Amino acid sequence: MKFRVAREVLADAVAWTARSLPPRPSVPVLAGILLEVDGNQLSVSGFDYEVSARAEVDVNATEAGRVLVPGRLLAEITRALPPHQVDITAEGPRLSITCGNARFSLPTLPVEDYPSLPSMPSSAGLVDSDVFAEAVGQVAVAAGRDDTLPMLTGVRLEIEDDLITLAATDRYRLAVREFAWRPETPGVSAAVLVPARTLADAAKTLTSGPEIVLSLASGSSGEGILGLSGKDRQTTTRLLDAEFVKYRAIMPNESNSHATLPVGLFTDAAKRVALVAERGTPLRCEFTPGQVTLRAGGSDEEGQAEERCDVEFDGEPLTIGFNPTFLLDGLAAVHSERARMDFTSPLKPAVLSGVEEPAADDGRPEKPAERSGSYRYLIMPVRLPG
């Protein structure tokens, strides 16, 4: 195998593929990146039996072939190379990398022991890459991180014709986002559970093109694969075989009061007051007409903070406590200048959603934001002392 390629192109492809490599591979070959040259195209691949990643780049090749090399080391080297053309040659059990005056020689791994990458499932439809990245980012923040509860570490992806719904929960909060897509087959219906970390990483890094192709496949044993592909890149992940919670039954359908918050000002105030909130202690929110008072701390042995923020509030005065981190995560995800928070009671979940600003003097009432209004973030309250 022998080829020449631009350093920036090679480094980008290798770095993207290396993101999916396992930190502690079960067998040594899974720490490798597979380089394959066919014609004038180089594919850079990684696979750990759960997640696969493949990037394709154009090269000037004089000899085809395939070689497996230590992935993270290759990523570090290609990132550090000078800005010149890179010449790569496989010479027996070693890989030679030459760029300008820099030269590296790496040992190769036994390519015959490397597992075959899974085939990309058939296309289910197309979604705008920026919409998909925003939606996944809004929802994945609420996914759990305890691997002993796999049903909470995933994002539920539901397809009903031209609408996709994403949902995730860690039992203390629930995030739901809906958006339109373009299915290959009208009337398609599916529901799968995708590992949240894998989905979030793929959504953020497949935005180089305007669209993402979403592919699905399920086997007779119940195992399934989700495929995502963008411009010159594709990734697959095994789906989680777990039952997701019936989240629609958790989301309140009505409220007794609501507040309209200036997201920027309220977020800044919450961050300041939360500085004195020790781990596990709540941020106290006292809503009254026209304002909310935020408080944290309280005992003589710890810090105390209080700040008032102007808000619109409709309902009887309400005092409710939240985990400050969970509250700030929801505020960061609404992606609008103002947010609406609906309340049922101080001991029941509150629901946060974005608000669209009406055009100047058009007389229209405010309504959910076009891009963020289909996003809802339910947050469980924390019981306050006394």
Side-chain angles (χ1 to χ4, degrees):
M1 184 181 73
K2 187 175 183 179
F3 63 91
R4 170 174 287 188
V5 63
R7 186 206 68 88
E8 295 82 2
V9 173
L10 177 65
D12 188 47
V14 171
W16 182 78
T17 304
R19 293 167 67 99
S20 66
L21 296 178
R24 292 178 294 276
S26 56
V27 291
V29 293
L30 297 183
I33 281 182
L34 182 65
L35 304 178
E36 296 181 274
V37 173
D38 185 8
N40 281 321
Q41 189 169 73
L42 167 70
S43 68
V44 184
S45 310
F47 182 42
D48 67 350
Y49 292 112
E50 297 292 332
V51 179
S52 76
R54 178 171 178 167
E56 297 180 342
V57 298
D58 293 329
V59 299
N60 184 6
T62 55
E63 185 178 340
R66 62 201 301 258
V67 64
L68 185 67
V69 294
R72 299 193 187 279
L73 179 58
L74 181 64
E76 292 175 359
I77 290 173
T78 54
R79 182 173 62 246
L81 290 174
H84 301 295
Q85 292 289 309
V86 182
D87 291 298
I88 294 183
T89 305
E91 302 171 333
R94 302 193 71 83
L95 183 76
S96 171
I97 303 174
T98 303
C99 181
N101 295 325
R103 179 180 174 85
F104 294 85
S105 178
L106 303 183
T108 60
L109 301 170
V111 69
E112 63 274 8
D113 295 340
Y114 197 69
S116 299
L117 270 70
S119 301
M120 179 65 68
S122 58
S123 171
L126 298 171
V127 59
D128 293 342
S129 58
D130 58 343
V131 172
F132 188 70
E134 179 189 54
V136 172
Q138 289 178 305
V139 170
V141 68
R145 292 165 177 79
D146 184 355
D147 291 333
T148 64
L149 298 171
M151 75 291 291
L152 301 181
T153 63
V155 171
R156 169 87 165 183
L157 188 153
E158 298 178 350
I159 299 174
E160 287 296 336
D161 196 16
D162 61 352
L163 185 70
I164 290 180
T165 302
L166 301 179
T169 180
D170 60 3
R171 295 182 297 178
Y172 306 105
R173 50 193 172 157
L174 164 69
V176 180
R177 171 70 194 269
E178 298 175 344
F179 57 93
W181 78 312
R182 298 177 291 284
E184 293 279 351
T185 305
V188 64
S189 178
V192 297
L193 190 59
V194 190
R197 282 176 289 191
T198 303
L199 184 64
D201 186 63
K204 286 188 297 185
T205 58
L206 288 174
T207 55
S208 57
E211 298 173 329
I212 291 176
V213 179
L214 191 151
S215 307
L216 282 172
S218 58
S220 57
S221 63
E223 293 185 349
I225 292 178
L226 171 75
L228 299 170
S229 53
K231 182 181 178 182
D232 302 326
R233 293 178 179 179
Q234 63 183 40
T235 184
T236 66
T237 180
R238 289 193 181 277
L239 301 173
L240 294 172
D241 185 16
E243 188 71 24
F244 194 66
V245 299
K246 293 178 171 35
Y247 67 92
R248 286 188 171 87
I250 302 173
M251 191 69 70
N253 295 319
E254 57 185 22
S255 64
N256 295 327
S257 57
H258 72 270
T260 302
L261 315 171
V263 173
L265 293 176
F266 184 82
T267 298
D268 290 343
K271 286 181 179 178
R272 284 189 289 267
V273 175
L275 291 173
V276 301
E278 296 184 356
R279 183 177 177 85
T281 60
L283 178 68
R284 185 184 185 99
C285 304
E286 301 173 3
F287 289 93
T288 56
Q291 71 176 24
V292 58
T293 302
L294 305 176
R295 290 192 173 94
S299 70
D300 294 336
E301 291 78 19
E302 62 184 14
Q304 301 177 22
E306 174 183 314
E307 185 166 345
R308 292 182 176 84
C309 181
D310 292 338
V311 302
E312 299 173 23
F313 182 72
D314 183 8
E316 294 296 321
L318 175 82
T319 299
I320 191 169
F322 295 115
N323 177 304
T325 299
F326 293 169
L327 177 60
L328 291 170
D329 284 345
L331 290 167
V334 295
H335 298 174
S336 60
E337 292 185 3
R338 295 197 300 162
R340 173 172 169 140
M341 182 171 278
D342 288 275
F343 308 97
T344 303
S345 80
L347 300 180
K348 293 186 177 180
V351 179
L352 191 65
S353 57
V355 171
E356 177 190 13
E357 296 297 329
D361 301 325
D362 67 355
R364 293 189 298 115
E366 64 184 28
K367 61 180 182 179
E370 182 177 347
R371 295 186 66 190
S372 301
S374 56
Y375 175 70
R376 290 167 293 165
Y377 182 87
L378 178 148
I379 177 171
M380 297 292 294
V382 178
R383 187 180 294 271
L384 295 170

